[in-house]
Amino acid sequence: MIGSDKISSSFTVNRASETPFQSGGLRVYREYRDLGVAAATDGRIRAQIIRTTKPCPEGGGGAHLHDLEFQMVFVLKGNSRVWFEGQGEVTFETGDSWIQPPGIHHNVLYYSDDYELLEITLPADYETRPVED
């Protein structure tokens, strides 16, 4: 049953040739390719492809949390190791995915040079805050 809070969207086609990767996102060592979902859903959902451009910082990117309702990650290429509050370190490889509960503390400890992922978040824009791990 579809509730009254359903997410509406417009028909959208997103072509790789017209939507290049861009720097300037959350992390300076990554590039982001927006898939047009935020615009199509009035900011309710974001879907983006993220790829790394520099080696993982020593000790990881720093423990942090995201203030959002939903986050799913699917590894398109490469591998990574991520620490999650209450879960410990988890290794991911091409084809793996995970859902992060809202507000979970985590730290990306390692990623391969070819690391590329698809990330889906609700809402499209949210706050990220550093935390003590």
Side-chain angles (χ1 to χ4, degrees):
M1 176 180 220
I2 297 175
S4 62
D5 61 344
K6 73 177 187 174
I7 297 172
S8 61
S9 62
S10 59
F11 179 80
T12 301
V13 174
N14 185 277
R15 301 194 187 281
S17 62
E18 298 170 357
T19 314
F21 282 89
Q22 297 182 359
S23 58
L26 180 61
R27 305 282 178 216
V28 297
Y29 46 83
R30 293 193 169 161
E31 289 181 328
Y32 303 81
R33 181 175 159 237
D34 183 68
L35 299 180
V37 177
T41 61
D42 292 324
R44 296 284 309 271
I45 301 169
R46 178 176 310 283
Q48 61 186 346
I49 298 174
I50 303 170
R51 68 180 180 194
T52 59
T53 58
K54 296 177 183 173
C56 188
E58 189 170 327
H64 61 281
L65 65 82
H66 305 296
D67 185 15
L68 45 61
E69 296 174 50
F70 175 83
Q71 182 176 19
M72 183 212 158
V73 179
F74 180 87
V75 181
L76 297 168
K77 289 185 201 174
N79 57 76
S80 66
R81 192 174 70 254
V82 184
W83 170 83
F84 295 97
E85 172 186 29
Q87 304 300 315
E89 292 183 19
V90 182
T91 300
F92 299 101
E93 298 178 351
T94 301
D96 293 346
S97 66
W98 70 92
I99 294 174
Q100 287 183 207
I104 189 171
H105 297 191
H106 59 287
N107 184 6
V108 179
L109 300 172
Y110 165 82
Y111 52 77
S112 59
D113 291 342
D114 62 344
Y115 192 51
E116 189 171 290
L117 52 93
L118 168 66
E119 178 184 63
I120 300 170
T121 61
L122 179 104
D125 296 319
Y126 53 88
E127 183 180 353
T128 296
R129 296 190 311 262
V131 296
E132 297 295 323
D133 47 309

